[in-house]
Amino acid sequence: MEFKKLFIPGPTNVHPDVLAKMATPMIGHRSKDASDLQRRITEKMRNLMFTKNKIALSTSSGTGLMEGAIRGSVAKRAIVFSVGDFGNRWADLARLNDVPVDLHVEESGNPTMPKTVDEYLKTGKYDVVTITHNETSTGIMNPIDGIADIVRKYPDVLFLVDCVSSMAGTKIEVDRLGIDICITSSQKALALPPGLALASVSPKAEERFNVVGNKGYYLDLKNIIKYIDKKDHQYSSTPSLSHMFALDFQLDRIEKEGIENRFIRHTEMAEFMIDWANRHFKVYPKPGFESMTVTCINNTIGFNFSDLNKELGKRGMQISNGYGELKDKTFRIAHMGELTLKDMVEVTRAIEDILKLK
Ligand SMILES: *Cc1c(COP(=O)(O)O)cnc(C)c1O
């Protein structure tokens, strides 16, 4: 196998010191050390997420907690706002769990606007709203502040946000925004191997879990939280302690970089990429709503993507094609996790060289 520098939107590059922590010897998952580990992770995740809410970990990818969250939160009906495939996923998860749901899909390239959210919530039909903060399939970042201002007007509505590809790359102030369940995965901007999902859970969400019926077992957030509360920061089943060792260490690295510095690094990479993409191609999302962690670019010159990625591979780099419907129309370059501006200069120069741009 040849390992390349990854410019794909997950899994992202993992620092060798973090990878090494995955090889930490095992401890008992009912030990005091395991409780201490979970407690340390909770404290550091709260700092990163700007929240006092409870932190749930799940040995699954992010989709696991998305499933648990939507299944456990809806007593009436959910409204799902989608600007791409990961938005649609919320609706699929609801339907497959027999959760009543409506889906609003935005026109291609457009974000979810606060006004649209208001129009649906005004009807009084819904008790859950889901938003994809950063839609990885289309490179759209939704205006979460404005959406939060709307959702706040409806105290009986739970606010579920997919921050899988933005958490740890952009500032998401969970408590200020009033996000009830904020979900992320280990393998995106957190820059860990895949296999761990994380969510913050508000007291309001916890109350709702009590009135929702069949929530299953493994992904039931009420069950996960119960063990954290009653069993001193443990799990109902055996967690991936390896991920937890690595996460504990990675969160120290993130604090050492400085959380704000980390956000600035991501913004600088994004601004560089958006400018570069618009000079040579065209960025897919409507201007002003470009993602800070992944740039989705229209292939305006009709180059052959797999040829490009093969050539990049020879130079030790890998980017991503489009996703779903946009598979052949766009390509995506991620700028999250461990990547720096220098890496973005390197990958864009290589693309210019291979495609003979300019
Ligand atoms: C990657 C991703 C998911 C899915 O997460 P998994 O960890 O692969 O289950 C969901 N939403 C968004 C926005 C993503 O980028």
Side-chain angles (χ1 to χ4, degrees):
M1 225 184 311
E2 266 185 58
F3 297 104
K4 300 176 193 114
K5 193 182 281 181
L6 300 176
F7 295 86
I8 62 175
T12 61
N13 307 296
V14 182
H15 191 279
D17 294 347
V18 177
L19 267 185
K21 290 291 170 189
M22 293 288 288
T24 306
M26 279 306 119
I27 57 173
H29 71 299
R30 297 280 174 242
S31 64
K32 182 175 175 299
D33 284 344
S35 296
D36 289 344
L37 180 60
Q38 169 106 4
R39 205 178 292 111
R40 283 199 302 278
I41 289 170
T42 297
E43 285 312 312
K44 290 179 244 182
M45 280 309 297
R46 281 177 172 158
N47 286 339
L48 187 63
M49 299 175 86
F50 298 85
T51 185
K52 292 190 173 65
N53 287 341
K54 288 176 185 168
I55 303 291
L57 304 187
S58 163
T59 300
S60 65
S61 73
T63 306
L65 283 186
M66 286 170 71
E67 181 156 21
I70 194 132
R71 179 166 172 178
S73 299
V74 182
K76 229 154 73 177
R77 195 172 190 85
I79 175 68
V80 168
F81 293 95
S82 173
V83 298
D85 284 274
F86 289 112
N88 295 340
R89 184 172 291 187
W90 278 116
D92 292 338
L93 292 169
R95 288 189 193 113
L96 292 166
N97 283 283
D98 294 324
V99 171
V101 63
D102 288 325
L103 171 64
H104 178 91
V105 181
E106 222 30 81
E107 226 171 274
S108 175
N110 283 286
T112 302
M113 293 308 282
K115 189 165 61 68
T116 316
V117 176
D118 204 19
E119 274 157 23
Y120 279 88
L121 294 188
K122 257 198 306 222
T123 64
K125 272 166 68 180
Y126 306 101
D127 62 355
V128 167
V129 52
T130 81
I131 298 287
T132 312
H133 176 234
N134 188 64
E135 177 52 78
T136 316
S137 68
T138 52
I140 294 172
M141 196 165 256
N142 280 311
I144 195 76
D145 269 81
I147 294 169
D149 287 340
I150 297 298
V151 179
R152 200 174 290 116
K153 295 197 301 176
Y154 301 91
D156 296 334
V157 174
L158 284 188
F159 191 18
L160 273 49
V161 185
D162 169 353
C163 291
V164 169
S165 60
S166 49
M167 183 56 71
T170 48
K171 191 173 200 166
I172 302 154
E173 295 174 273
V174 167
D175 286 355
R176 185 180 65 76
L177 295 167
I179 300 174
D180 292 298
I181 304 182
C182 181
I183 298 169
T184 195
S185 301
S186 55
Q187 80 280 13
K188 307 265 169 115
L190 273 169
L192 293 158
L196 192 72
L198 303 100
S200 65
V201 179
S202 75
K204 192 166 126 190
E206 282 192 79
E207 275 171 42
R208 179 68 60 77
F209 299 155
N210 292 329
V211 298
V212 174
N214 184 356
K215 294 186 285 294
Y217 182 86
Y218 193 69
L219 300 169
D220 174 7
L221 279 163
K222 183 178 167 172
N223 191 39
I224 294 173
I225 296 284
K226 185 177 86 185
Y227 272 80
I228 289 173
D229 284 350
K230 302 238 167 82
K231 298 275 179 179
D232 192 23
H233 284 261
Q234 292 190 357
Y235 255 110
S236 62
S237 56
T238 322
S240 174
L241 291 157
S242 311
H243 276 92
M244 291 167 70
F245 288 127
L247 176 60
D248 186 34
F249 180 75
Q250 175 68 342
L251 290 170
D252 285 341
R253 286 186 72 246
I254 290 173
E255 282 185 4
K256 210 168 282 170
E257 177 181 13
I259 291 173
E260 299 291 339
N261 292 338
R262 188 178 183 85
F263 300 149
I264 291 167
R265 173 165 60 81
H266 280 81
T267 305
E268 282 172 354
M269 288 193 288
E271 283 170 355
F272 173 83
M273 281 310 303
I274 294 161
D275 176 64
W276 179 84
N278 280 329
R279 269 191 289 122
H280 296 288
F281 306 93
K282 195 174 181 321
V283 167
Y284 176 76
K286 187 172 166 176
F289 301 96
E290 301 94 342
S291 163
M292 291 293 113
T293 55
V294 57
T295 298
C296 183
I297 307 165
N298 288 315
N299 181 358
T300 47
I301 60 172
F303 68 82
N304 182 302
F305 177 81
S306 68
D307 288 350
L308 169 65
N309 224 7
K310 224 172 278 161
E311 281 305 311
L312 282 172
K314 289 182 194 158
R315 303 176 189 208
M317 291 173 270
Q318 184 183 342
I319 62 171
S320 190
N321 58 1
Y323 194 100
E325 270 178 31
L326 298 171
K327 197 170 187 330
D328 300 316
K329 294 182 194 142
T330 64
F331 61 106
R332 294 172 301 156
I333 303 176
H335 28 89
M336 61 173 96
E338 299 293 335
L339 291 169
T340 65
L341 192 54
K342 196 163 147 264
D343 296 315
M344 305 325 293
V345 171
E346 185 191 5
V347 73
T348 51
R349 287 223 175 118
I351 295 170
E352 286 169 16
D353 187 46
I354 294 163
L355 295 179
K356 309 207 178 340
L357 300 177
K358 268 183 203 165

